[in-house]
Amino acid sequence: MRSKLDPLSMAAMAVTVVSVSATAPLTAAATASPLAMAFWRNCLGFAVLGPLLLLLRRREVLRVARRERGLLRREQWRPLVFGLLAATSLALHFAAFMTSTRLTSVAMSTALVATQPVWQALIAAGQGVRTSLRTWAGLALAVVGATAAGGLDIRSGGTALLGDLLALVGAIAQAGYTALSERSRADVSTPLYSTFTSLVCGLELLAVCRLAHIPLTGYDRSTHLSLLGLLVLPQILGLGSLNFALGRTSATTMSVLLLLETPVAALTAWWFLGQGIKPATMPGLLLIIVGVTVVVTSGMEQTMTQRGRHRRTGTAPYPAHAPHPPQPSSAPQQLTFPDSAERDPRVDWARYTGEDSPTVTLTYHGAGAFDTRFLRMPHVGQEELGLDGLH
């Protein structure tokens, strides 16, 4: 994608970073239980995603309700299980991350949660994906930075160390959410999948709050303002400006820019909450950002290398784990695509071969971009044309 770094695009990127960075300070400023805040965060997210889904994907929702889409077919029960597991990982991410903002500093919490691409790369390596030396170097920098930044908390122990550990759990859970989502959403558009995971995640957090007898109402003014801020800033402005920016720049560029969440959130917490940054932690926080940046950009480098190899050898075949492997045919048939498919989806599936795989999927605290390409195997015949033009 050719980047269009005009003033409007740069403004959208700035709004995205500032809006996303407000998540941790707003959570830390509230007085309600972090688990209750996590529930309301997902409830508000579903309140936004639901109407957007009905507006943008009305036909898809109707087809799912009528059991015409693969989501409810027998062969899709396994991906559905992965979707439920992904939603559970998302619930764990919210619970751990939002609790960590109360136990440790906002700077430490956001920096450690930002290591999600590191854990995602480790998950990919555990699945047999070839990892470049540059990626391993970024992993090492991030680990050294996390150890250095958390040195004071490790020596002192107590709630700050617990908050650091919960932030790491939140990063691992978000990486698990991304990995599980790649296995579950082969035949589902991004808006539908995001709404589904928000709903399941919210129901799971509601059950936990009920079992733990955590009050969900009767909050003070600061908590109400924090919840309103979570709705307006990260959920509406953040997601909207992110999707606008992704239409004009690459996902890798946005992934790197989202790493600015750590310093922006730290400055916000210092300005509004009086949380200072300990000088001894600053080198470690900087190493975390540098290490994660290396991991993010190395994912782009692997993708470009793979695409260059495909240019020399022609269009790559579907990998074994593609949702609809092509079937051999004795007679040539004319292939047709849905209205939204502008090119052969094998070009996109070629990015997910057994040798190389991107280590980054653009999400922030569980929110995914709405303009992710809908990957489907082309169908034979004319019945697919015009049925779901809003993919």
Side-chain angles (χ1 to χ4, degrees), residues 118-142:
V118 171
W119 302 105
Q120 192 172 331
L122 289 175
I123 291 174
Q127 293 175 338
V129 176
R130 188 177 62 185
T131 304
S132 66
L133 292 177
R134 183 178 175 180
T135 300
W136 286 116
L139 294 174
L141 284 175

mmCIF file of all heavy atoms in Angstrom, residues 118-142:
data_model
loop_
_atom_site.group_PDB
_atom_site.id
_atom_site.type_symbol
_atom_site.label_atom_id
_atom_site.label_comp_id
_atom_site.label_asym_id
_atom_site.label_seq_id
_atom_site.Cartn_x
_atom_site.Cartn_y
_atom_site.Cartn_z
ATOM 1 N N VAL A 118 5.807 -9.444 20.862
ATOM 2 C CA VAL A 118 6.893 -10.343 21.263
ATOM 3 C C VAL A 118 6.338 -11.728 21.562
ATOM 4 O O VAL A 118 6.851 -12.754 21.082
ATOM 5 C CB VAL A 118 7.635 -9.764 22.483
ATOM 6 C CG1 VAL A 118 8.621 -10.781 23.045
ATOM 7 C CG2 VAL A 118 8.351 -8.476 22.119
ATOM 8 N N TRP A 119 5.290 -11.787 22.346
ATOM 9 C CA TRP A 119 4.686 -13.074 22.686
ATOM 10 C C TRP A 119 4.026 -13.700 21.474
ATOM 11 O O TRP A 119 4.022 -14.934 21.323
ATOM 12 C CB TRP A 119 3.667 -12.878 23.814
ATOM 13 C CG TRP A 119 4.275 -12.273 25.035
ATOM 14 C CD1 TRP A 119 4.148 -10.986 25.479
ATOM 15 C CD2 TRP A 119 5.144 -12.925 25.965
ATOM 16 N NE1 TRP A 119 4.873 -10.795 26.613
ATOM 17 C CE2 TRP A 119 5.492 -11.972 26.948
ATOM 18 C CE3 TRP A 119 5.662 -14.215 26.080
ATOM 19 C CZ2 TRP A 119 6.327 -12.266 28.014
ATOM 20 C CZ3 TRP A 119 6.486 -14.515 27.148
ATOM 21 C CH2 TRP A 119 6.818 -13.551 28.098
ATOM 22 N N GLN A 120 3.488 -12.869 20.589
ATOM 23 C CA GLN A 120 2.888 -13.396 19.371
ATOM 24 C C GLN A 120 3.949 -14.047 18.491
ATOM 25 O O GLN A 120 3.706 -15.093 17.874
ATOM 26 C CB GLN A 120 2.198 -12.261 18.616
ATOM 27 C CG GLN A 120 1.293 -12.728 17.483
ATOM 28 C CD GLN A 120 0.507 -11.582 16.901
ATOM 29 O OE1 GLN A 120 0.205 -10.608 17.591
ATOM 30 N NE2 GLN A 120 0.172 -11.686 15.625
ATOM 31 N N ALA A 121 5.142 -13.443 18.446
ATOM 32 C CA ALA A 121 6.234 -14.034 17.671
ATOM 33 C C ALA A 121 6.684 -15.350 18.292
ATOM 34 O O ALA A 121 7.006 -16.313 17.585
ATOM 35 C CB ALA A 121 7.404 -13.056 17.591
ATOM 36 N N LEU A 122 6.709 -15.423 19.624
ATOM 37 C CA LEU A 122 7.094 -16.668 20.295
ATOM 38 C C LEU A 122 6.069 -17.769 20.043
ATOM 39 O O LEU A 122 6.425 -18.938 19.862
ATOM 40 C CB LEU A 122 7.257 -16.425 21.801
ATOM 41 C CG LEU A 122 8.477 -15.601 22.218
ATOM 42 C CD1 LEU A 122 8.440 -15.335 23.711
ATOM 43 C CD2 LEU A 122 9.769 -16.316 21.835
ATOM 44 N N ILE A 123 4.780 -17.406 20.031
ATOM 45 C CA ILE A 123 3.741 -18.393 19.724
ATOM 46 C C ILE A 123 3.919 -18.918 18.307
ATOM 47 O O ILE A 123 3.829 -20.129 18.050
ATOM 48 C CB ILE A 123 2.347 -17.767 19.909
ATOM 49 C CG1 ILE A 123 2.081 -17.491 21.391
ATOM 50 C CG2 ILE A 123 1.267 -18.689 19.349
ATOM 51 C CD1 ILE A 123 0.782 -16.748 21.652
ATOM 52 N N ALA A 124 4.210 -18.001 17.372
ATOM 53 C CA ALA A 124 4.428 -18.423 15.986
ATOM 54 C C ALA A 124 5.645 -19.337 15.881
ATOM 55 O O ALA A 124 5.627 -20.339 15.158
ATOM 56 C CB ALA A 124 4.605 -17.196 15.091
ATOM 57 N N ALA A 125 6.704 -19.010 16.613
ATOM 58 C CA ALA A 125 7.894 -19.861 16.590
ATOM 59 C C ALA A 125 7.589 -21.236 17.179
ATOM 60 O O ALA A 125 8.073 -22.264 16.684
ATOM 61 C CB ALA A 125 9.029 -19.196 17.367
ATOM 62 N N GLY A 126 6.770 -21.279 18.234
ATOM 63 C CA GLY A 126 6.381 -22.559 18.805
ATOM 64 C C GLY A 126 5.533 -23.399 17.867
ATOM 65 O O GLY A 126 5.493 -24.628 17.998
ATOM 66 N N GLN A 127 4.869 -22.732 16.905
ATOM 67 C CA GLN A 127 4.052 -23.447 15.921
ATOM 68 C C GLN A 127 4.867 -23.857 14.705
ATOM 69 O O GLN A 127 4.311 -24.372 13.739
ATOM 70 C CB GLN A 127 2.881 -22.566 15.488
ATOM 71 C CG GLN A 127 1.873 -22.322 16.602
ATOM 72 C CD GLN A 127 0.791 -21.348 16.205
ATOM 73 O OE1 GLN A 127 0.971 -20.542 15.278
ATOM 74 N NE2 GLN A 127 -0.336 -21.383 16.896
ATOM 75 N N GLY A 128 6.174 -23.620 14.758
ATOM 76 C CA GLY A 128 7.033 -24.048 13.663
ATOM 77 C C GLY A 128 7.321 -22.999 12.621
ATOM 78 O O GLY A 128 7.931 -23.307 11.594
ATOM 79 N N VAL A 129 6.887 -21.743 12.844
ATOM 80 C CA VAL A 129 7.159 -20.678 11.891
ATOM 81 C C VAL A 129 8.620 -20.248 12.015
ATOM 82 O O VAL A 129 9.121 -20.063 13.124
ATOM 83 C CB VAL A 129 6.235 -19.473 12.137
ATOM 84 C CG1 VAL A 129 6.585 -18.316 11.208
ATOM 85 C CG2 VAL A 129 4.782 -19.879 11.939
ATOM 86 N N ARG A 130 9.283 -20.110 10.885
ATOM 87 C CA ARG A 130 10.676 -19.707 10.893
ATOM 88 C C ARG A 130 10.795 -18.259 11.361
ATOM 89 O O ARG A 130 10.130 -17.365 10.827
ATOM 90 C CB ARG A 130 11.291 -19.855 9.507
ATOM 91 C CG ARG A 130 12.797 -19.630 9.482
ATOM 92 C CD ARG A 130 13.339 -19.868 8.093
ATOM 93 N NE ARG A 130 12.777 -18.943 7.124
ATOM 94 C CZ ARG A 130 13.009 -19.007 5.819
ATOM 95 N NH1 ARG A 130 13.745 -20.003 5.326
ATOM 96 N NH2 ARG A 130 12.473 -18.128 4.995
ATOM 97 N N THR A 131 11.633 -18.032 12.360
ATOM 98 C CA THR A 131 11.810 -16.706 12.942
ATOM 99 C C THR A 131 13.177 -16.171 12.561
ATOM 100 O O THR A 131 14.186 -16.856 12.721
ATOM 101 C CB THR A 131 11.676 -16.761 14.474
ATOM 102 O OG1 THR A 131 10.410 -17.338 14.812
ATOM 103 C CG2 THR A 131 11.761 -15.374 15.074
ATOM 104 N N SER A 132 13.221 -14.940 12.071
ATOM 105 C CA SER A 132 14.469 -14.357 11.618
ATOM 106 C C SER A 132 15.348 -13.950 12.796
ATOM 107 O O SER A 132 14.868 -13.787 13.932
ATOM 108 C CB SER A 132 14.195 -13.137 10.734
ATOM 109 O OG SER A 132 13.600 -12.103 11.499
ATOM 110 N N LEU A 133 16.622 -13.764 12.518
ATOM 111 C CA LEU A 133 17.547 -13.313 13.554
ATOM 112 C C LEU A 133 17.177 -11.920 14.053
ATOM 113 O O LEU A 133 17.361 -11.613 15.234
ATOM 114 C CB LEU A 133 18.976 -13.315 13.004
ATOM 115 C CG LEU A 133 19.593 -14.691 12.704
ATOM 116 C CD1 LEU A 133 20.972 -14.530 12.098
ATOM 117 C CD2 LEU A 133 19.649 -15.532 13.986
ATOM 118 N N ARG A 134 16.657 -11.105 13.162
ATOM 119 C CA ARG A 134 16.241 -9.768 13.575
ATOM 120 C C ARG A 134 15.101 -9.834 14.590
ATOM 121 O O ARG A 134 15.068 -9.070 15.550
ATOM 122 C CB ARG A 134 15.814 -8.979 12.335
ATOM 123 C CG ARG A 134 15.427 -7.539 12.639
ATOM 124 C CD ARG A 134 15.070 -6.807 11.359
ATOM 125 N NE ARG A 134 14.590 -5.467 11.636
ATOM 126 C CZ ARG A 134 14.201 -4.610 10.710
ATOM 127 N NH1 ARG A 134 14.241 -4.970 9.445
ATOM 128 N NH2 ARG A 134 13.771 -3.415 11.034
ATOM 129 N N THR A 135 14.180 -10.749 14.372
ATOM 130 C CA THR A 135 13.091 -10.913 15.334
ATOM 131 C C THR A 135 13.610 -11.359 16.689
ATOM 132 O O THR A 135 13.197 -10.851 17.736
ATOM 133 C CB THR A 135 12.064 -11.924 14.801
ATOM 134 O OG1 THR A 135 11.535 -11.460 13.556
ATOM 135 C CG2 THR A 135 10.927 -12.114 15.785
ATOM 136 N N TRP A 136 14.521 -12.339 16.684
ATOM 137 C CA TRP A 136 15.097 -12.804 17.947
ATOM 138 C C TRP A 136 15.853 -11.675 18.645
ATOM 139 O O TRP A 136 15.836 -11.579 19.882
ATOM 140 C CB TRP A 136 16.031 -13.991 17.704
ATOM 141 C CG TRP A 136 15.322 -15.265 17.392
ATOM 142 C CD1 TRP A 136 15.369 -15.975 16.236
ATOM 143 C CD2 TRP A 136 14.433 -15.997 18.259
ATOM 144 N NE1 TRP A 136 14.567 -17.095 16.312
ATOM 145 C CE2 TRP A 136 13.979 -17.135 17.539
ATOM 146 C CE3 TRP A 136 13.970 -15.781 19.559
ATOM 147 C CZ2 TRP A 136 13.108 -18.064 18.096
ATOM 148 C CZ3 TRP A 136 13.084 -16.712 20.109
ATOM 149 C CH2 TRP A 136 12.664 -17.825 19.382
ATOM 150 N N ALA A 137 16.519 -10.815 17.874
ATOM 151 C CA ALA A 137 17.214 -9.678 18.484
ATOM 152 C C ALA A 137 16.215 -8.732 19.151
ATOM 153 O O ALA A 137 16.450 -8.228 20.261
ATOM 154 C CB ALA A 137 18.034 -8.932 17.427
ATOM 155 N N GLY A 138 15.093 -8.483 18.480
ATOM 156 C CA GLY A 138 14.060 -7.655 19.082
ATOM 157 C C GLY A 138 13.480 -8.282 20.337
ATOM 158 O O GLY A 138 13.216 -7.581 21.326
ATOM 159 N N LEU A 139 13.279 -9.606 20.315
ATOM 160 C CA LEU A 139 12.795 -10.302 21.505
ATOM 161 C C LEU A 139 13.762 -10.127 22.670
ATOM 162 O O LEU A 139 13.349 -9.865 23.810
ATOM 163 C CB LEU A 139 12.609 -11.784 21.198
ATOM 164 C CG LEU A 139 11.530 -12.166 20.190
ATOM 165 C CD1 LEU A 139 11.573 -13.655 19.894
ATOM 166 C CD2 LEU A 139 10.158 -11.785 20.715
ATOM 167 N N ALA A 140 15.048 -10.271 22.377
ATOM 168 C CA ALA A 140 16.051 -10.138 23.438
ATOM 169 C C ALA A 140 16.058 -8.726 24.015
ATOM 170 O O ALA A 140 16.125 -8.543 25.245
ATOM 171 C CB ALA A 140 17.438 -10.497 22.893
ATOM 172 N N LEU A 141 15.968 -7.717 23.156
ATOM 173 C CA LEU A 141 15.931 -6.334 23.642
ATOM 174 C C LEU A 141 14.708 -6.089 24.527
ATOM 175 O O LEU A 141 14.809 -5.433 25.573
ATOM 176 C CB LEU A 141 15.917 -5.370 22.456
ATOM 177 C CG LEU A 141 17.237 -5.160 21.707
ATOM 178 C CD1 LEU A 141 17.017 -4.263 20.492
ATOM 179 C CD2 LEU A 141 18.288 -4.554 22.630
ATOM 180 N N ALA A 142 13.550 -6.601 24.102
ATOM 181 C CA ALA A 142 12.336 -6.407 24.888
ATOM 182 C C ALA A 142 12.432 -7.094 26.246
ATOM 183 O O ALA A 142 12.008 -6.538 27.274
ATOM 184 C CB ALA A 142 11.122 -6.919 24.118
#
